[in-house]
Amino acid sequence: YMYVEAGGWPHTSNYPNVGPFTLLSPTFAECVGEVRFYYHMYDYYDYYMGTLQLEETTDGASWTTIWTKSGDQGNSWRGSTVSITTQNVIRVRWVGTTQTHQASWGGSDIAIDDVDILSWANGECIPPTPAPTTSPVPTACTRPTRATSTSSSWLVNRMRKL
């Protein structure tokens, strides 16, 4: 599952960095027809939770919101199936925006899990031709560095199935 810390004690809260925090799908060669996922948006105090959105794109530049939930949705996982009605969607993303209240010291998180992204079934999809990419030729062998960021983002937690 992937999650955004929407609230917590001062050392775990994202405040004042409230997002938006974006989780992108890969760019698909086939068009997206349906997205299925589970989400969990629980706020112990029922007023510090943020918003989770699912957005689509046909060109990778402009995005349209196709699903949204805001506020406390209860302390359980909820399933969602979103049918894509726009032709030629090549990518989707989840956008989490957390609350803005500094005193959000209760537990509130936005999470998604068990994501399935299915292709367009009717064969009428014409994905755009991706632009060719070039990479510079390295001049020396260097050790990779770890990316760092001063703002919070989606966190990934992998769980084993038993």
Side-chain angles (χ1 to χ4, degrees):
Y1 64 93
M2 287 77 52
Y3 72 98
V4 171
E5 180 68 40
W9 298 104
H11 63 281
T12 61
S13 177
N14 280 329
Y15 182 85
N17 301 315
V18 297
F21 303 108
T22 303
L23 181 65
L24 292 166
S25 75
T27 300
F28 296 102
E30 295 182 32
C31 294
V32 177
E34 187 174 87
V35 180
R36 299 175 188 164
F37 62 98
Y38 285 85
Y39 63 95
H40 191 278
M41 297 174 68
Y42 176 63
D43 180 356
Y44 182 78
Y45 292 106
D46 197 27
Y47 50 84
Y48 293 127
M49 179 53 63
T51 299
L52 177 64
Q53 296 174 301
L54 178 65
E55 298 179 344
E56 67 182 12
T57 185
T58 58
D59 60 9
S62 58
W63 294 86
T64 303
T65 301
I66 56 174
W67 179 93
T68 188
K69 287 288 179 185
S70 295
D72 177 37
Q73 300 297 312
N75 192 12
S76 63
W77 287 94
R78 299 180 182 274
S80 184
T81 299
V82 181
S83 295
I84 307 296
T85 58
T86 306
Q87 288 189 359
N88 305 330
V89 171
I90 57 168
R91 196 172 204 187
V92 295
R93 70 181 182 186
W94 287 264
V95 180
T97 306
T98 64
Q99 52 71 36
T100 60
H101 195 279
Q102 186 175 9
S104 174
W105 292 358
S108 61
D109 302 299
I110 301 171
I112 62 172
D113 194 9
D114 199 16
V115 173
D116 287 314
I117 300 175
L118 307 172
S119 63
W120 189 271
N122 66 5
E124 297 177 18
C125 171
I126 305 170
T129 304
T133 59
T134 59
S135 299
V137 177
T139 56
C141 189
T142 59
R143 185 176 185 167
T145 58
R146 174 174 243 173
T148 59
S149 173
T150 56
S151 66
S152 300
S153 60
W154 285 90
L155 304 170
V156 177
N157 190 354
R158 293 186 178 95
M159 297 179 67
R160 284 187 311 135
K161 290 187 177 180
L162 299 177

